[in-house]
C-alpha cells in the first residue's frame, strides 16, 4: 500500500531557500528507496521578504486556508535586511504558528559524530536533551501597544505584555511530561523566572507542580532561567526534557544548539499535538544574511528537521534512517565551514541522501 504525503514548502529568505531543497532531496531519496510504499508531493509557496517588497504582504491573505489541508508544512527561514524583522516574523512564521495553534515547539540537541562541541568534556552521552518551548503565548503573545507619540520625540511609550493562561501552561507542560515518558531518563526540568515575574510565571510553576503529580514515574525540577543558562554549559548531562516559556525556550534552544556545535545543526518542530491543523517544521536558525548566496549554509538542521517531520507523519523508521545518514555523514568528516569543514551545502545534502 502506498501513501502520498502532501507537504507545503515555504523556503522563505536567505539560507532558508538554500537549505530547504536539501531537506526535500532527503525526502525524495526516501521515497525512491521505499519500493513504492512512500511518496511526497510538494506545493511551493513564494512567501517571504521578497514577496512583501512586491506585494506588501508576507503571505497571501488566504494563506492559512491554503495551508490547512496539507499533512505538514516545511519551512526554511524568514527575514531579510530592508524588511523590519518584526514585520517578517509576525507576517509569516508567527502568523502560521499562532494561526494553527502550533503550541508545542520541540527542539532536540544531540552531539553528532565528528562535530566538536565548544564544551571541552562534551560527549554524545552528556549532550542529549530536548527543549520544549511554549509556542502560542507567553512573551510572544503580541499583547501591548505603542502610544503617546504626541508627547514628542524622546517621550514615546511602549508596553509589551506577557500572557500566561492556565490552559496554555497546562497543555505545554503536559506535552513535556508525555515526551519524557518516551525517553530513558524520564526527567522534566521547568524553567521560569518567577522570582522576578511574579504573576505569569508563578501560575506556570503552580500548573507544573500540579501536572507533575500525575506523572510519578518522571522526576522533576524547577529552575530559574539565568541559572539554567549556566547549567546548560556546566552540567549538560543533567538535562533531559526542558520545558520553558516562549522567550526562554527560544533563547535556551540557541544556546543548546551552540553547545551541540552550531546553529547550523539545530532542528525544530512547531506542533499542534491535537492534529487539528498541520504542524510546521523548520530549522532553528534564521536566514543568515551574512552567509546567504555563498552555498556554504549547513543543511544538517534542515535535514534533521525532516526527521522530526517524518516522526510526526508516523514514519519513525524513516526518521531513524535520516538521523543515521546524518551521523554517518558528519562522522565521515563531511562538514560545512561552520563546523570547521570545507564542504558546500549541496555536498553535505548529497552525502546524506547517498547514505540513505
Ligand atoms: P541566524 O540564525 O540567521 O544567524 C546567526 C548566525 O549563525 C550567523 O552568523 C549565521 O551565519 C550562522 N548560521 C545560522 N544558520 C547557519 C547554517 N545553517 N549554517 C551555517 N551558519 C549558520 O540569526 P540572525 O542573524 O539573528 O537573524 C537573521 C535573520 O533571520 C533576521 O531577519 C531574523 O529575524 C531572522 N530569523 C528568522 C527565524 C525563523 O525564520 N525561524 C529564526 C531566527 C532569526
Ligand atoms: Mg530563535
Amino acid at each position: 500500500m502506498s501513501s502520498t504525503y502532501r507537504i507545503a514548502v515555504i523556503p522563505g529568505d536567505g539560507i532558508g531557500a538554500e537549505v530547504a531543497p536539501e531537506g526535500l532531496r532527503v525526502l525524495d531519496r526516501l521515497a525512491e528507496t521505499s519500493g513504492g510504499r512512500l511518496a511526497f508531493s510538494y506545493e511551493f509557496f513564494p512567501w517571504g521578504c521578497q514577496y512583501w517588497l512586491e506585494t506588501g504582504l508576507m503571505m497571501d491573505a488566504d494563506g492559512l486556508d491554503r495551508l490547512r489541508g496539507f499533512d505538514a508544512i516545511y519551512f526554511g527561514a524568514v527575514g531579510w535586511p530592508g524588511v523590519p524583522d518584526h514585520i517578517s516574523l509576525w507576517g509569516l512564521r508567527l502568523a502560521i504558528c499562532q494561526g494553527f495553534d502550533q503550541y508545542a515547539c520541540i527542539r532536540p540537541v544531540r552531539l553528532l559524530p565528528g562535530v566538536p562541541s565548544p564544551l571541552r568534556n562534551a560527549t554524545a552521552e552528556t549532550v542529549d536533551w530536548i527543549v520544549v518551548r511554549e509556542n502560542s503565548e507567553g512573551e510572544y503573545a503580541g499583547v501591548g501597544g505603542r502610544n503617546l507619540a504626541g508627547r514628542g520625540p524622546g517621550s514615546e511609550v511602549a508596553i509589551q505584555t506577557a500572557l500566561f493562561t492556565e490552559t496554555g501552561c497546562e497543555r505545554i507542560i503536559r506535552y513535556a511530561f508525555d515526551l519524557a515518558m518516551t525517553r530513558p531518563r524520564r526527567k522534566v526540568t521547568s524553567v521560569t523566572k518567577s522570582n522576578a515575574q511574579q504573576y505569569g510565571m508563578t501560575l506556570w510553576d503552580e500548573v507544573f507542580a500540579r501536572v507533575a503529580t500525575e506523572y510519578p514515574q518522571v522526576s522533576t525540577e524547577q529552575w530559574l532561567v539565568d541559572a539554567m543558562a549556566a547549567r546548560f554549559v556546566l552540567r549538560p548531562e543533567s538535562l533531559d526534557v526542558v520545558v520553558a516559556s516562549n522567550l526562554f525556550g527560544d533563547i535556551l534552544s540557541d544556546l543548546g544548539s551552540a553547545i551541540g556545535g552550531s546553529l547550523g545543526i539545530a532542528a525544530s518542530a512547531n506542533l499542534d499535538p491535537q492534529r487539528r491543523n498541520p504542524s510546521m517544521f523548520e530549522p532553528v536558525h534564521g536566514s543568515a544574511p551574512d552567509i546567504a548566496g555563498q552555498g556554504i549554509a549547513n543543511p544538517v538542521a534542515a535535514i534533521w528537521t525532516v526527521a522530526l517531520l517524518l516522526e510526526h507523519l508516523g514514519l519513525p523508521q524513516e526518521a531513524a534512517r535520516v538521523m543515521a545518514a546524518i551521523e554517518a555523514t558528519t562522522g565521515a568528516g563531511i562538514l560545512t565551514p561552520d563546523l570547521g569543514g570545507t564542504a558546500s551545502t549541496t555536498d553535505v545534502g548529497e552525502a546524506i541522501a547517498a547514505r540513505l
Side-chain angles (χ1 to χ4, degrees), residues 49-192:
C49 288
Q50 191 55 41
Y51 198 73
W52 185 81
L53 290 169
E54 286 159 16
T55 66
L57 295 169
M58 285 300 299
M59 87 171 153
D60 293 328
D62 62 351
L64 290 181
D65 287 333
R66 285 163 64 194
L67 293 173
R68 205 178 299 278
F70 286 89
D71 293 307
I73 303 163
Y74 187 56
F75 190 90
V78 66
W80 198 250
V83 180
D85 280 343
H86 66 275
I87 292 196
S88 53
L89 202 65
W90 276 102
L92 190 56
R93 185 190 171 276
L94 287 172
I96 296 171
C97 288
Q98 301 207 345
F100 285 149
D101 202 19
Q102 295 161 342
Y103 63 85
C105 179
I106 307 309
R107 297 178 152 185
V109 169
R110 277 166 35 192
L111 203 55
L112 299 173
V115 175
S117 167
L119 296 190
R120 226 176 10 224
N121 300 322
T123 65
E125 286 69 44
T126 58
V127 176
D128 180 2
W129 65 75
I130 302 192
V131 172
V132 174
R133 166 188 175 190
E134 202 293 318
N135 210 28
S136 67
E137 48 179 56
E139 306 86 343
Y140 296 2
V143 179
R146 286 177 65 162
N147 209 333
L148 308 184
R151 290 184 179 182
S155 299
E156 205 179 336
V157 173
I159 295 177
Q160 185 91 44
T161 304
L163 172 77
F164 288 87
T165 68
E166 194 163 1
T167 311
C169 295
E170 174 154 355
R171 62 185 186 173
I172 194 67
I173 288 167
R174 206 170 273 289
Y175 185 89
F177 275 95
D178 289 336
L179 181 62
M181 290 291 288
T182 68
R183 292 169 60 87
R185 274 191 248 173
R186 290 196 173 175
K187 180 172 182 180
V188 180
T189 303
S190 165
V191 181
T192 59

Side-chain angles (χ1 to χ4, degrees), residues 218-241:
V218 178
S219 63
T220 62
E221 300 172 310
Q222 293 176 257
W223 272 57
L224 298 177
V225 66
D226 38 1
M228 181 53 72
R231 183 167 153 199
F232 261 59
V233 175
L234 298 175
R235 287 201 293 128
E237 74 287 351
S238 67
L239 302 171
D240 184 20
V241 174

